[in-house]
Amino acid sequence: MRIHFIAIGGSAMHNLAIALHKKGFKVTGSDDVIFEPSSTRLANYGLLPKENGWFESNITADLDAVILGMHARLDNPELVKAQEMGLKIYSYPEYIYEQSKNKLRVVIGGSHGKTTITSMILHVLNYYNRDFDYLVGAQLAGFETMVKITDSAPVIIIEGDEYLASPIDRRPKFHLYKANIGVISGIAWDHINVFPTFEDYISQFNKFIDTIVEGGKLIYCENDLELRKIVVNSTATIDKIPYTIPDHKVIDGVTYLLPQNTPLQVFGDHNLMNLNAARLVVEQLGINEDEFKIAISSFTGAAKRLELLNHTKETSVYKDFAHSPSKLKATIDAVKAQFTNRKLVACIELHTFSSLTKEFLLQYRDTMKKADVAIVYIDEKTFKHKKIEPVSENDVQTSFNDKNIIFFSEAAQLESYIRSLNFENTNLLLMSSGNFGGMDLVKLALELNV
């Protein structure tokens, strides 16, 4: 098979390119810019384009398929030529389905927790040496790539994103996989540039339920009232399996699953619900509850999800990917509940397009109330880059409904402020899908004033 990737440098795209290369396909690709770690990883497999840019000569009649990344524009010269030649053009989720249509497909959807649930499932299957393929949204310890596609594996575990499939396919990715087993972790409005109303966003999950194959299963979080409502009203001919928070206790900052007192290396109600979703999935794959608990006790968490940067006797520093209102609140609540006797300094970088609009900012109301010191950082260059109107400190305080929120727009001033604080019996939580203006978070974590 000869496959060409337009916009090969993307996170999912370059991982799929590597996976198909390892499968024995002839893979080529192009992009106008490729960042790390994609660049080095593609180079290691001989897949890095010789030069950046789009070249019509890459599109030839002997190509079996062209895979189009979301980063490409509609007027991309390679795309235009492929369309003119009548070549088969796939989005990457379409091609994942094409390569897995004879497998059992497990698709994990939801506004939050997708990566963690998928990672937990992969960890448990790996623990018991099961043969499986996968697509996950983060680099995991023990897994070389974020995508694996083989001919032999009977099952594939897919993290099902609700964002659009490609510039020419405006369907959400998770609609294209046709799950045998579907998971929905919860619904909280996101991607407002694509789904301008909450009702429009919710409808994508309704449609996802309808894409589950007849006689399949839906595992869903019944704590989410909006989700419970759409599941109850769904007429899809599938089994509906609810989950909630499992019985547990917290002692000295460690969470234990009951009744066996199984110690966990992750914590927080959101992670415990994620864990229950993963348990129900692997149960469908033949791994019982006792086996699951043995395996999950060694799970240390998905990358950038409550990732511990440093800890001392009375201070822990965490980095988290939280970048939406529901994720922000859940992460703050988790750290406060786990360390009830410690203060919490919580800092969120608002970085995504939706987070920076004044209309959507109102969704953050009361999300940082449990933090003892609440900090919001927005890199002033982000507004120029995204071509949107800047928000002020007053806008942030009003939207968050908290006049005590401290606002920074320059990374150096933010770092100076954090370094000035006393972290005796205090945790620090740094949350972003960006990079805090290039701040060295590990160095900061090691040098706090304790």
Side-chain angles (χ1 to χ4, degrees):
M1 294 286 283
R2 294 178 59 86
I3 311 291
H4 180 71
F5 283 75
I6 300 177
I8 196 171
S11 176
M13 290 284 280
H14 90 272
N15 274 285
L16 179 56
I18 292 169
L20 295 179
H21 169 79
K22 290 168 99 170
K23 194 175 178 179
F25 289 14
K26 171 73 174 169
V27 174
T28 58
S30 57
D31 215 322
D32 55 353
V33 60
I34 301 179
F35 297 104
E36 291 294 357
S38 304
S39 176
T40 296
R41 299 182 78 232
L42 287 169
N44 288 342
Y45 289 94
L47 301 177
L48 185 67
K50 290 185 173 61
E51 57 181 313
N52 288 344
W54 315 111
F55 305 96
E56 289 186 19
S57 57
N58 287 330
I59 307 302
T60 53
D62 60 348
L63 288 173
D64 294 294
V66 172
I67 301 180
L68 178 65
M70 196 65 202
H71 167 60
R73 297 168 62 97
L74 288 172
D75 62 355
N76 183 288
E78 294 184 15
L79 170 60
V80 171
K81 186 174 180 185
Q83 288 171 321
E84 288 172 350
M85 293 177 68
L87 296 177
K88 183 61 183 171
I89 302 168
Y90 295 89
S91 63
Y92 91 76
E94 266 187 309
Y95 203 73
I96 290 287
Y97 173 73
E98 188 64 27
Q99 292 290 303
S100 63
K101 58 189 176 186
N102 296 321
K103 302 177 187 288
L104 179 77
R105 293 174 303 285
V106 179
V107 181
I108 293 88
S111 306
H112 41 70
K114 293 186 294 290
T115 300
T116 299
I117 295 169
T118 310
S119 304
M120 287 174 167
I121 295 166
L122 267 52
H123 177 84
V124 173
L125 294 177
N126 207 37
Y127 186 92
Y128 290 109
N129 297 312
R130 294 295 187 93
D131 186 16
F132 62 95
D133 288 342
Y134 59 86
L135 185 162
V136 64
Q139 192 62 52
L140 307 180
F143 293 84
E144 185 192 0
T145 55
M146 293 158 60
V147 180
K148 181 186 170 195
I149 293 284
T150 64
D151 290 324
S152 60
V155 62
I156 183 169
I157 313 299
I158 300 172
E159 179 179 338
D161 185 4
E162 69 270 24
Y163 201 69
L164 305 181
S166 85
I168 61 172
D169 187 345
R170 309 294 286 178
R171 292 174 295 174
K173 296 185 186 83
F174 70 161
H175 290 179
L176 305 181
Y177 300 123
K178 301 176 186 175
N180 301 96
I181 301 170
V183 177
I184 304 181
S185 61
I187 302 175
W189 192 20
D190 203 354
H191 307 305
I192 67 163
N193 54 323
V194 177
F195 309 113
T197 68
F198 184 49
E199 291 69 30
D200 189 21
Y201 183 71
I202 288 174
S203 72
Q204 308 313 315
F205 292 90
N206 252 321
K207 291 173 186 173
F208 170 65
I209 294 172
D210 289 338
T211 68
I212 297 172
V213 299
E214 190 171 344
K217 300 177 191 299
L218 171 65
I219 295 165
Y220 70 98
C221 178
E222 67 175 343
N223 288 48
D224 187 309
L225 299 180
E226 203 64 55
L227 172 57
R228 191 164 69 193
K229 193 190 308 177
I230 69 166
V231 172
V232 167
N233 291 330
S234 170
T235 57
T237 51
I238 55 175
D239 291 336
K240 301 168 183 176
I241 306 169
Y243 67 88
T244 184
I245 301 170
D247 291 337
H248 66 281
K249 63 183 178 182
V250 179
I251 302 173
D252 295 332
V254 177
T255 298
Y256 297 85
L257 285 180
L258 300 174
Q260 294 98 334
N261 289 328
T262 306
L264 300 175
Q265 298 187 52
V266 294
F267 61 87
D269 285 354
H270 64 306
N271 271 329
L272 288 165
M273 284 190 281
N274 293 337
L275 181 149
N276 243 357
R279 177 183 64 80
L280 287 168
V281 168
V282 300
E283 189 177 284
Q284 309 302 318
L285 304 178
I287 294 172
N288 67 37
E289 185 172 353
D290 289 341
E291 291 169 327
F292 172 79
K293 286 183 176 179
I294 290 167
I296 205 66
S297 65
S298 57
F299 178 74
T300 56
K304 300 179 184 175
R305 272 70 175 182
L306 276 175
E307 184 178 331
L308 186 63
L309 298 183
N310 188 36
H311 70 100
T312 64
K313 252 184 179 179
E314 51 188 33
T315 304
S316 295
V317 182
Y318 293 97
K319 177 174 72 171
D320 195 272
F321 193 66
H323 61 281
S324 68
S326 59
K327 293 173 186 175
L328 172 61
K329 185 176 186 305
T331 307
I332 288 174
D333 289 355
V335 176
K336 283 298 285 185
Q338 197 72 4
F339 301 94
T340 53
N341 296 322
R342 291 186 191 175
K343 292 180 180 177
L344 175 62
V345 176
C347 178
I348 174 81
E349 176 183 15
L350 297 182
H351 174 74
T352 61
F353 176 86
S354 59
S355 297
L356 296 171
T357 64
K358 290 180 181 177
E359 297 78 21
F360 187 76
L361 208 58
L362 296 170
Q363 301 289 318
Y364 285 91
R365 183 179 178 86
D366 295 336
T367 51
M368 300 189 80
K369 285 291 187 186
K370 289 191 179 178
D372 298 279
V373 177
I375 306 168
V376 173
Y377 166 70
I378 307 174
D379 189 331
E380 58 187 355
K381 294 189 287 291
T382 305
F383 295 111
K384 294 173 187 171
H385 176 68
K386 298 189 186 289
K387 296 178 181 175
I388 55 179
E389 184 187 348
V391 299
S392 66
E393 179 176 59
N394 185 59
D395 291 329
V396 170
Q397 290 176 343
T398 301
S399 299
F400 279 75
N401 191 34
D402 189 347
K403 290 297 179 185
N404 293 318
I405 280 181
I406 302 159
F407 177 75
F408 291 97
S409 58
E410 293 183 12
Q413 291 179 358
L414 170 63
E415 181 172 355
S416 177
Y417 176 75
I418 291 174
R419 286 180 177 276
S420 74
L421 298 175
N422 184 342
F423 280 89
E424 184 179 342
N425 200 38
T426 302
N427 290 335
L428 174 60
L429 177 56
L430 298 159
M431 297 164 286
S432 177
S433 59
N435 67 353
F436 283 100
M439 196 190 310
D440 188 335
L441 302 185
V442 175
K443 187 171 186 288
L444 175 66
L446 293 170
E447 296 175 356
L448 289 180
N449 178 23
V450 178

